[in-house]
Amino acid sequence: MKKWGHLSVLFLLSVGVCGCTDAESGDGSGSGDGSSNVEGSGSGAAAFDFAAPGPYRVGVRSLPLVDSARSRAWTAEVWYPTVEEGSASDLLAFATSSEERALLEQLYPASPEGCATRSTQAIRNAAPAGSGPLPVIFFSHCHGCTRFELFTVAEQLASYGFAVVAPDHAGNTLFAHEAGTPAPINAAFLNTRVEDMLFTAAAAFDPAGPFAAAGLRFDAARMGVMGHSFGAATAAWTGERLPGMKAVVALAAPMESPLLPGPMMAALPLPTLFLLAREDNSITELGNRFIRNNHAAAASPSWLIELADAGHWSPSDICGLTVDFAAGCGEGRRMTGRAPFTYLDNGAARQATAAMVTAFFASVLTGDARGAAYLNAGLFGIETTLLKR
């Protein structure tokens, strides 16, 4: 069974206990060449386009972390603004061992063209721009994925002056899964992932820690968290447990569901952004219904953006890298009716996701009014449905 097969079964089995109904109206039709905003605020162009690169070049580095108390060790990746000149790093530089490098050298050439991202923009080990503390976003990757699975989004954020810190969840990475030693999707390992995030955050703010030694300082008053898939629940629970968190983003999964422990949306006091892949046959239509209901139940300002023709890994840089990440790459069948269709272009999906996420964090963490204006305008260059509350 594929990695996500058993999770889809769990979603289907939960129908009887969920009692969910569609939370808000909107037929999800979109406009075909832009966005459909059901609140009607999308008239006129946004004053600023967050799909454009920001004013900074981007640095990246890998830092080893060891949690002796839990006997766990992993690598954290950090993207950050730099003014240093230099060449973009190679994707193979994400590998932390010869075995990982060999696997990436095997997977990328064998994957379909146009799906997985094959180049980066970040300059490895560049000096950070300035010495002031940076607004910081912590990222949790999907089940069986990697800390660098959303590096396009991380690079866009860093170009706008944010730092993005992403730990590998040891045992739950692409490399562990390809080696045949996958971690489970259950409450116990969700807690393990959250503890990874909390330890990574503590290390990020440690004045004697590895991030500080690399010249990186982060602003605890401007702190957000995001996650993709299993990482969405990880991010939400991290947001509840980490004091000072200001905002949370969930990509292609709900934050609250009857399947896993975590915060209740009605009690989560953080602005939220949900991105929903409308053809997400990994979490199924039931999982998408959970996302819509999360948005409807949010206690704080919340945006829900539905991406037409998108699959579970459409926004990810590792879409199509293995057969387990194929949903979102090339040709597929619709969840309803099983008609054949072509998934949203992966480059467009990643660019739009990067723009939406950057606008959201700019609005909430730095008070940039252009961010909210961009989101509310709903003109993302791809077919979407936007709901805001």
Side-chain angles (χ1 to χ4, degrees), residues 26 33 43 50 64 73 95 119 188-189 207 211 221 233 246 265 305 328 344 356:
D33 59 356
S43 59
F50 279 87
S119 62
F189 199 76
F211 293 89
K246 294 294 190 297
M265 290 304 303
I305 303 173
L344 173 66
M356 296 167 188

Side-chain angles (χ1 to χ4, degrees), residues 50-51 152-154 156-157 275 348-359:
F50 279 87
T152 290
V153 175
Q156 186 74 353
L157 282 160
L275 264 63
R350 285 187 284 266
Q351 183 183 47
T353 299
M356 296 167 188
V357 170
T358 302

Side-chain angles (χ1 to χ4, degrees), residues 239-251:
E240 183 179 63
R241 292 176 58 181
L242 186 59
M245 191 62 70
K246 294 294 190 297
V248 59
V249 170
L251 308 176

Side-chain angles (χ1 to χ4, degrees), residues 133-148:
L134 300 168
V136 59
I137 294 100
F138 296 96
F139 171 67
S140 177
H141 63 72
C142 60
H143 176 65
C145 297
T146 74
R147 68 192 185 279
F148 55 88

Side-chain angles (χ1 to χ4, degrees), residues 135-141 150 157 162-167 169 193-194 197-198 201 222-228 231-242 244-251 255 263 268 270-274 357 360-361 364-365:
V136 59
I137 294 100
F138 296 96
F139 171 67
S140 177
H141 63 72
L150 225 69
L157 282 160
F162 295 89
V164 178
V165 177
H169 295 295
R193 290 170 60 106
V194 174
M197 296 290 283
L198 297 176
R222 296 182 294 169
M223 180 170 55
V225 63
M226 63 178 175
H228 174 220
T234 309
W237 205 4
T238 302
E240 183 179 63
R241 292 176 58 181
L242 186 59
M245 191 62 70
K246 294 294 190 297
V248 59
V249 170
L251 308 176
M255 299 182 193
L268 187 66
L270 300 175
T272 55
L273 172 67
F274 294 93
V357 170
F360 172 76
F361 282 125
V364 178
L365 298 188

